[in-house]
Amino acid sequence: QCAMVKRILKETPTTLNDTINAMSGDPEQLELTYQAALKAGQVAAFREAIDAGRAAAPDNMLYAAWHYRLLHAAERVKESFTAWGWAIPLALLNGLALWYLSDDERFRLPLARPGGAWTDYSFIPLVFLVAAPVSAAFVITYLAAAGRRRWIMATLVSALLVAAAVYVVTFYPQLGTRPYQEQYITRMAMHLPLLAWAGVGAFLIYSHNVVRDAANRFAFLIKSLEVFVMGGLAVIAGGIFVGITAGLFEAIGVTLPQTVVRLLVAGGGGLVPVIAAAVIYNPKVKPIDQEFEEGISRLLALLARALLPLSILVLLVYLSFFPVTSWEPLEKRCVLIGFSAMLFAVIAVMVAATPTRPGQLSSRAALWLRRGIIALAALAALVSIYALAAILYRTAIDRLTPNRLAFIGWNVINIGLLLLVLFRQMRAGEQWPAGLYQAFAMGTVVYAVWTLALILILPWLFGIYQQRIETL
């Protein structure tokens, strides 16, 4: 058995598959292999090999028994990993912080020229800008406390996220005119949450020393989608609770004070990110070793795979009307915004539909899933290339603005990601999911870099640009 441990430590998942296939009729040797994999820290690889063997030999009762044994073992672990002693206090602190920052009378964003008089206030409250970085800092604190306790890294990442929000609030007046300031603030209300998400992912990837592992980065993508779904459900439930509470008091002629309303909305909303992350994610294990077989993971995969053919159908219908509607993106700004949203939605569907482990699908289902992902990527790339051309055309006949620069960058990145998906699938064989892992993992890095670039550069770039226009 000791010799087996040493051998498995050096084995790749492919050779482990061969080892398990050779023992498919020997329960004792399969048990010894599992114990060796357990000591070597390769339980995930062992489970993948079992699932692959079960997919290849569905009538093998030994594989079926091991599949359910590992499945229920994972469920027992899943029930126990949430550290409520850390999650509840940190969620409450985050809620109180957001409640305090949601005071519009105390925290407002004035709009004016640098050095000039304030003329008005932004329609976006300050809490919308700082909520994501602050919440991410509390989530990272929970992950560090309940996981591997990488406090230095947690402190550094959290400080950088909060510093990004402070940077936005401090330097947005550099854009000069009110329209540019409003565009920047509006964009940052969407980009700061994206940066916060990237910060949490960077902390988890670096704390587990899996920076170069595309499969782990892809697993984080899937788990983060689950956290968003869980958070969305919690927000819906919370909104119903707040509405019922306000309605009950209104029925007896009592209007809730603004302080109480803010406590229910902003304070209650602050509970959601920490609790959702604590319920979904096990901070003690690597992203690839998380549970993906049951619960929201399974629901998310099924939903994405159901949406895949529908998305292909919608794009085909749109392209069939292209001769009639080809001028709309050139004339209507809302159409271009819709295209950009479509790009992110398409990529989210492809990410959620991709299997996280081999053996999850039958050979026939995996083949059709791969074809569907390729078709969706190709159609979305065609539509998006035209949308990018439309944005460039509108910019050429008018001028470059913060909004247009952001949209141009995101379209270029997403189109490049779709083309990379197609290129990887052309070169992939039976291990085609690995090509998707590599493409999406690379995409996360580019997303984070472009987000940070927009946050840092826009105030100075368009501040100087506006000054030159005024000089001319």
Side-chain angles (χ1 to χ4, degrees):
Q1 187 171 342
C2 292
M4 190 179 299
V5 172
K6 294 180 180 179
R7 189 180 74 247
I8 290 182
L9 277 169
K10 299 179 181 179
E11 285 184 337
T12 63
T14 301
T15 58
L16 184 58
N17 288 350
D18 296 337
T19 301
I20 289 177
N21 288 337
M23 300 175 181
S24 60
D26 192 332
E28 180 181 6
Q29 289 301 319
L30 203 56
E31 176 65 31
L32 291 175
T33 303
Y34 170 70
Q35 295 299 328
L38 187 63
K39 291 181 180 180
Q42 293 198 4
V43 175
F46 182 86
R47 179 170 52 188
E48 291 175 5
I50 289 291
D51 289 342
R54 183 168 178 255
D59 296 331
N60 189 308
M61 300 304 293
L62 188 57
Y63 282 150
W66 269 102
H67 169 79
Y68 288 108
R69 172 183 172 179
L70 295 172
L71 179 63
H72 291 298
E75 283 298 314
R76 288 194 297 271
V77 172
K78 187 177 179 181
E79 291 172 357
S80 62
F81 68 69
T82 302
W84 293 111
W86 283 101
I88 293 177
L90 289 171
L92 291 173
L93 287 174
N94 189 43
L96 289 174
L98 297 189
W99 166 72
Y100 177 73
L101 293 170
S102 64
D103 187 351
D104 288 343
E105 296 298 324
R106 180 176 300 178
F107 303 107
R108 294 194 290 179
L109 299 173
L111 301 172
R113 293 178 181 275
W118 302 122
T119 58
D120 201 352
Y121 293 95
S122 171
F123 65 92
I124 295 180
L126 173 70
V127 70
F128 276 54
L129 294 177
V130 301
V134 170
S135 298
F138 280 101
V139 170
I140 291 172
T141 302
Y142 167 79
L143 294 173
R148 306 190 68 183
R149 298 184 179 272
R150 299 291 183 89
W151 291 113
I152 295 178
M153 186 180 300
T155 302
L156 178 62
V157 176
S158 300
L160 289 175
L161 294 178
V162 174
V166 173
Y167 179 92
V168 170
V169 174
T170 302
F171 290 106
Y172 77 88
Q174 293 295 327
L175 282 103
T177 61
R178 171 174 173 167
Y180 280 5
Q181 291 178 5
E182 287 183 331
Q183 287 184 27
Y184 180 68
I185 292 172
T186 304
R187 295 283 76 75
M188 292 308 102
M190 293 180 279
H191 285 77
L192 283 171
L194 188 57
L195 183 67
W197 165 78
V200 174
F203 169 75
L204 289 172
I205 296 300
Y206 278 92
S207 64
H208 288 286
N209 298 319
V210 289
V211 178
R212 298 183 180 276
D213 190 344
N216 271 283
R217 281 189 279 172
F218 177 78
F220 166 73
L221 284 177
I222 296 294
K223 276 298 167 182
S224 61
L225 287 177
E226 291 181 39
V227 172
F228 295 149
V229 172
M230 181 72 180
L233 294 174
V235 168
I236 292 172
I240 294 173
F241 171 77
V242 171
I244 292 174
T245 300
L248 289 175
F249 280 97
E250 287 288 343
I252 59 175
V254 176
T255 301
L256 295 177
Q258 279 297 110
T259 302
V260 176
V261 174
R262 289 192 296 107
L263 183 62
L264 291 173
V265 177
L271 304 177
V272 172
V274 180
I275 297 298
V279 170
I280 295 297
Y281 196 85
N282 182 356
K284 295 181 180 179
V285 301
K286 295 183 292 186
I288 195 64
D289 291 333
Q290 302 291 319
E291 178 55 46
F292 295 100
E293 304 296 335
E294 298 295 331
I296 294 180
S297 299
R298 184 174 178 81
L299 176 63
L300 190 63
L302 291 174
L303 181 62
R305 290 163 192 169
L307 287 174
L308 194 62
L310 296 177
S311 302
I312 293 172
L313 179 61
V314 168
L315 289 178
L316 285 173
V317 171
Y318 176 79
L319 288 174
S320 68
F321 284 99
F322 187 76
V324 179
T325 61
S326 59
W327 285 97
E328 289 191 0
L330 302 177
E331 300 172 350
K332 298 180 180 179
R333 179 171 175 266
C334 60
V335 175
L336 291 176
I337 295 175
F339 279 150
S340 299
M342 178 272 296
L343 264 178
F344 285 101
V346 163
I347 292 172
V349 168
M350 290 194 298
V351 168
T354 302
T356 54
R357 295 191 179 100
Q360 285 184 328
L361 301 172
S362 65
S363 299
R364 184 176 179 82
L367 175 62
W368 282 104
L369 176 60
R370 181 186 182 187
R371 290 174 177 174
I373 290 175
I374 292 173
L376 182 59
L379 292 172
L382 287 175
V383 175
S384 302
I385 289 171
Y386 179 73
L388 175 61
I391 296 176
L392 294 175
Y393 170 78
R394 290 171 62 89
T395 302
I397 64 174
D398 186 14
R399 58 177 174 173
L400 187 66
T401 65
N403 276 345
R404 286 172 180 163
L405 178 61
F407 279 118
I408 288 171
W410 283 120
N411 274 271
V412 170
I413 291 170
N414 285 327
I415 291 170
L417 179 56
L418 292 171
L419 295 178
L420 181 60
V421 166
L422 295 173
F423 175 74
R424 293 286 187 183
Q425 290 308 299
M426 287 174 59
R427 297 168 59 92
E430 294 183 358
Q431 301 299 323
W432 62 270
L436 293 177
Y437 300 163
Q438 294 168 359
F440 293 136
M442 187 178 296
T444 58
V445 176
V446 181
Y447 274 26
V449 170
W450 180 241
T451 299
L452 188 59
L454 288 176
I455 292 172
L456 296 178
I457 295 174
L458 284 182
W460 307 102
L461 178 63
F462 284 91
I464 296 172
Y465 176 68
Q466 187 63 31
Q467 290 174 7
R468 287 184 177 178
I469 291 178
E470 292 176 353
T471 302
L472 293 175

